[in-house]
Amino acid sequence: MRARDLRLVPVAAAAWIAAVVTVFMPDTAAWFACGLWAAAVALVAVCVLRPGERTRWALAAVCVAIAAAAASHVAFAQPERAAAAQLAVDGGRALVVHATIVGKAERTAGGDIAVDARAHAIDIGAHRHVVDVPITIRVADDRPDVGAEVIAAGTATRSDLGRRAALLVRASRGLQIVRPPTGAAAVAAGLRHALAAETRGLPQPAAGLIPGLAVGDTGGVGPGLDVAMKASSLSHLTAVSGANCAIVVGLAFGAAALCGARRGIRVAVSLLALAGFVLLVTPEPSVVRAAAMATVAMLGVLLGRVGAGVSLLCAAVTASLVADPWLCSSLGFALSVAATGALLVLAAPLARGMAQLLPRAVALALAVPLAAQLACGPLLVLVNPTVPLYGVAANLLAAPAAPVATVLGLAACLATPIPVLASGLVTLTWVPAAWIAATAQTAATLPAAAVPWPEGMPGALALTAVGVAVLVLLVPHRPVRVARMARRISAATLAVTVGVCAGTAAMRTVAGPLTLPSRWAIAACDVGQGDALLVRSAGAVALIDTGPDPGLLRACLDRFGIRRLDLVVLTHYDHDHIGGLVAAADRAVRVLHGPPGGPADEAKLIVAASHGAEVLAAHAGMTGALGDATWTVLWPRAGDRVFRTGNTASVTMDVRGGGVPPAIFLGDLDATGQSALQASGALRPPYAVVKVAHHGSADQSADLYRTLAGAVAIISVGAHNDYGHPRAQTLAFLRADGYTIARTDQDGTVTVAADGGLVRLWRERAPPGVRAPG
C-alpha cells in the first residue's frame, strides 16, 4: 500500500480526537473550535506563502479545519443541551416529555426498552420548557416506531458526558403515542410488523430469528438464542450491518447489469435500493453508519484498489464525526470502522498467507471472519471479558446461510401485502435461519465456548498482542531472515499471552473456589446492575434471581463450583433479575416465581422449566428446606388484588438455620410493598443479613429497615449505572441504623458466613469485617 493511500488517516484521526475532547469537555468546545479555526487560517496562509511546501502544510490545514468543524458542531449544540441539563430533574421529580422517535427500540441489559428520541418540550409541574435535544427514553415493554410522536411521563436524569442523549427519561408512568409515523415511515413500519406476524406459526427459535436476519428486528429472538448468538460471535447477523447493506447493493447492481444498464444507471439503482433498505429497517444512526461503511467497502472492491478503499473509509469516518461528534464514544461506531478497515487491509494478506497451507477458497472464506475478529476482539473484551473460541468457525458455517436468509427475508417482507406469497417466502427463509440458529446453539454449548479473558485495558492490550502475533505468523514477509525472526518472536508472544490468559481462565473456573472463603452461607455475585444471590446449607444451594447476563451468572456459578441449584427464586420479571435465567435453567431442580404480568413473563417460565425443573408460584406462607436451613416466603400474598405483579409483588424470602444467619431478601420491593409487608406480621426480626431492595434505590421505607434491625446490608448493584443506585438517602439511613454496607459495585463478590454469634463478612475488593448480628 502506498503512502498516498493513507494520507486521509490523519484527517480522520484529527476529527476523532477533536470529537473526544469536545464531547467530554463540552464547556470548552467553543474556545477549542475558535482556536482550531485560527490555526487552520494560519496554516492556509503558510501554504500561500510557501508554495514549495504546499502539500505538507495543506494536509495539516485540512486536519485542523476538520477538527475545528467537529468541535464547532459540539459548540453550537452545547447551549441547548446545557439548558436541558439544568432543568430541575433531580430527586426523581415527575415530568412529561413530548418527543419524536428517531431510533429503533432495543432491549437493554436492564431488561427495559430503550429508544432514541428528539425532545421538543418538557413539562415540569405547571411549567413547559421548550427544548430541542436528543434524549433516550426507557419503557417497560412498548416499542414505538421511528417517526412516532410520543408523550413520556416519568422521571429523568442527566446523561453522562460523551453520550449523544442529553437526558435519560424513564417513562415509568407510561408512554403515549400521540401520532403514529406517517408517509414512508408508516409503510416501512407496517411491512416490518407484517413480517414478524408471518413468522409466528413457524417452529422456534429460528422463526424469531427471521425478522432479525432480514430487517434487524430482534424482538422475536428468545433469550436462549440471543445468548447463543453472542457466545458464537453471530449476533452481528441480527443487527443491520454493512454486510446486509452490501447484499442489497450487490443484488441491485447485478440486476441492473443483467438488464444491460450502463454503469452510471447501475450505480444509481444500487444507491436507490440502499436508500429504500435503510428506510425499511429504520434510518437510525447505526443503520446509516452501516450503509456508509458498506458503500465504502464496495467502492474499494469496485475500484480494485485497497488503498482507495482505505481513503474512502477515512472520508466516511471524517464525515460521520463532523455530522455527529458523539459517535466518537460509540462502541458500535468503533466496531464498524475496525471491521471495515480489517476487511480492506487484512483479509487479502491473511488469505494469501493461509493459502500456503489450505485450499485457496477455504483460505479466503476463513480470512474474512478472522480479519474482523482480530480487529474487533480488543474492543469487545472491554465490555465483555470473554473470547468466543469458536467464533471464526461459527461464522464460516453460517456464512452460506446468512445472505440467503437476508435475501429471502427481505423478499418476504416486501411481499407481505400478498399473504400467500409472503407465507411461502417466510417458510423458505426458515430453512437458512434454522441452520444459523443451530450453528449458534451448537457453538455455544461446546466446551470452553467463551474463554474468560483479563478485564479492561490489560485484556484489550493482551488480545491486541495475540492478534498481531497471528498476523505475523500467517502473513508472508520479506526478507526471509527478518520474517523468520519476527515469526519466532510472535510465536513466543502468542504462547506467553495464551498461557497467562489460560491461567486466568483456570483461576476463574477450575481454581475459582480456591479464591473464595471455604465457609460461606450467603453470597452476592458481581453480575453488574442486577441481583444474583446464593444461599448454601449442608451442600444444598439456592439462587435468588439470575442477574441480567447469563455469561456473568455462569462465571459466578462456575467460580463457586456450583453444578446443581436445589432452589431458584425468580422474584419478578425485570431483566436485571431474570436475564441470566438460561444459565441457571439447566442446573435448577425447583423454581419459585412471582406473579407473571403477561405472556412475556409466562414465556420466561417456560425457559425456567425447559430442563425439567419443577416450577411453582410463590406466595406468602410457603416454606421448605434447603439442606438444614428453612426458607419461608413472606411476600406476595396469594391472590392479592392490590399488589398483583412487578416490583410491588417481588418475592421476599426469609432464610435461616443450618448455618445460614437469619436473612431476608427483598427483591425489588418498593416502599409501598415494604410498608404492607411490615404491617403483615410475617417478619421475624432481628435479621443478621438484609438484601436491600431495588439495588438501593430511593424507593424505600426506612421504617422497615429499622424494624428488621439488621447487621449487614447487601446491595447488589452495577458500577456507574444509569440509575444513580444506590441513592445517597438510602445509604444514609442504613448507616444511621447501624448497618454494615456491602456493595458489589465497589466490593465485587461478597460472602457472609455465621461465625458463632457473629456474622463474618468477606469482600472481594476490600478487607474482611466481622459484625454482630444485632
Side-chain angles (χ1 to χ4, degrees), residues 45 54 71 110 120 123 189 275 351 354 387 421 430 433 467 474 491 495 506 511 517 527 545 566 568 579 665 764 767:
R54 182 172 298 172
H120 309 304
D123 298 336
M354 290 188 290
V387 176
L421 178 59
W430 181 89
L474 293 180
V527 292
D545 286 326
D566 300 273
V568 174
F665 301 86
E764 183 176 20

Side-chain angles (χ1 to χ4, degrees), residues 96-119:
V96 176
V97 178
H98 304 259
T100 300
I101 303 299
V102 298
K104 184 171 59 177
E106 297 282 0
R107 189 167 295 280
T108 69
D112 51 8
I113 303 296
V115 58
D116 291 331
R118 193 85 188 178

Side-chain angles (χ1 to χ4, degrees), residues 389 451-453 462-463 466 469-470 491-505:
L389 191 60
V451 178
W453 199 261
L463 195 54
V466 170
V470 169
T493 302
L494 190 60
V496 170
T497 306
V498 171
V500 170
C501 294
T504 303

Side-chain angles (χ1 to χ4, degrees), residues 642-720:
V642 178
F643 305 99
R644 294 189 176 185
T645 189
N647 288 358
T648 60
S650 284
V651 177
T652 299
M653 301 284 291
D654 176 303
V655 186
R656 61 182 65 216
V660 179
I664 185 169
F665 301 86
L666 294 169
D668 268 5
L669 198 62
D670 61 6
T672 304
Q674 292 173 21
S675 298
L677 172 63
Q678 185 177 359
S680 70
L683 298 174
R684 299 166 61 190
Y687 287 92
V689 180
V690 176
K691 202 293 293 184
V692 178
H694 204 188
H695 323 291
S697 75
D699 195 7
Q700 311 281 350
S701 167
D703 288 342
L704 172 70
Y705 290 90
R706 195 170 299 114
T707 298
L708 297 177
V712 174
I714 296 177
I715 303 177
S716 185
V717 63
H720 311 297

Side-chain angles (χ1 to χ4, degrees), residues 61-392:
V62 171
C63 290
V64 175
I66 289 296
S72 298
H73 187 144
V74 178
F76 283 119
Q78 180 57 16
E80 192 76 37
R81 294 171 63 90
Q86 290 171 2
L87 296 177
V89 298
D90 292 326
R93 187 170 184 178
L95 49 77
V96 176
V97 178
H98 304 259
T100 300
I101 303 299
V102 298
K104 184 171 59 177
E106 297 282 0
R107 189 167 295 280
T108 69
D112 51 8
I113 303 296
V115 58
D116 291 331
R118 193 85 188 178
H120 309 304
I122 300 176
D123 298 336
I124 303 176
H127 300 284
R128 168 164 292 190
H129 304 271
V130 177
V131 297
D132 183 22
V133 292
I135 62 172
T136 296
I137 301 175
R138 288 192 172 179
V139 294
D141 293 308
D142 295 318
R143 288 179 175 267
D145 291 311
V146 172
E149 294 183 4
V150 301
I151 296 178
T155 60
T157 55
R158 299 176 185 87
S159 295
D160 295 333
L161 290 175
R163 296 197 176 188
R164 179 188 293 106
L167 296 173
L168 175 63
V169 178
R170 305 185 190 285
S172 55
R173 294 186 288 127
L175 184 73
Q176 177 187 355
I177 297 178
V178 178
R179 192 186 72 171
T182 58
V187 174
L191 290 173
R192 292 194 303 272
H193 296 322
L195 175 62
E198 287 287 348
T199 65
R200 287 173 189 154
L202 296 173
Q204 294 290 353
L209 192 59
I210 293 172
L213 294 169
V215 293
D217 181 2
T218 58
V221 178
L225 181 58
D226 181 55
V227 171
M229 294 286 286
K230 291 175 180 175
S232 57
S233 292
L234 293 176
S235 59
H236 65 92
L237 297 178
T238 57
V240 178
S241 64
N244 301 78
C245 299
I247 290 171
V248 171
V249 170
L251 285 173
F253 194 89
L258 288 175
C259 295
R262 297 192 306 272
R263 187 179 187 84
I265 295 177
R266 280 181 273 168
V267 171
V269 169
S270 300
L271 293 176
L272 286 173
L274 182 60
F277 177 69
V278 169
L279 179 64
L280 176 63
V281 300
T282 70
E284 59 178 351
S286 63
V287 175
V288 175
R289 183 174 69 239
M293 295 301 171
T295 303
V296 166
M298 190 183 70
L299 284 173
V301 173
L302 290 176
L303 293 174
R305 286 179 53 209
V306 173
V310 172
S311 297
L312 290 168
L313 172 61
C314 292
V317 169
T318 301
S320 298
L321 289 168
V322 171
D324 185 1
W326 291 270
L327 284 174
C328 69
S329 61
S330 167
L331 178 63
F333 181 67
L335 289 171
S336 292
V337 174
T340 306
L343 294 179
L344 290 170
V345 177
L346 300 180
L350 282 170
R352 287 195 299 270
M354 290 188 290
Q356 298 175 1
L357 305 171
L358 300 170
R360 185 174 181 181
V362 175
L364 183 59
L366 279 171
V368 172
L370 180 58
Q373 187 145 326
L374 291 176
C376 296
L379 295 171
L380 291 172
V381 296
L382 292 173
V383 294
N384 182 20
T386 59
V387 176
L389 191 60
Y390 309 111
V392 173

Side-chain angles (χ1 to χ4, degrees), residues 389-410:
L389 191 60
Y390 309 111
V392 173
N395 275 275
L396 185 62
L397 290 172
V404 176
T406 299
V407 172
L408 290 176
L410 276 173

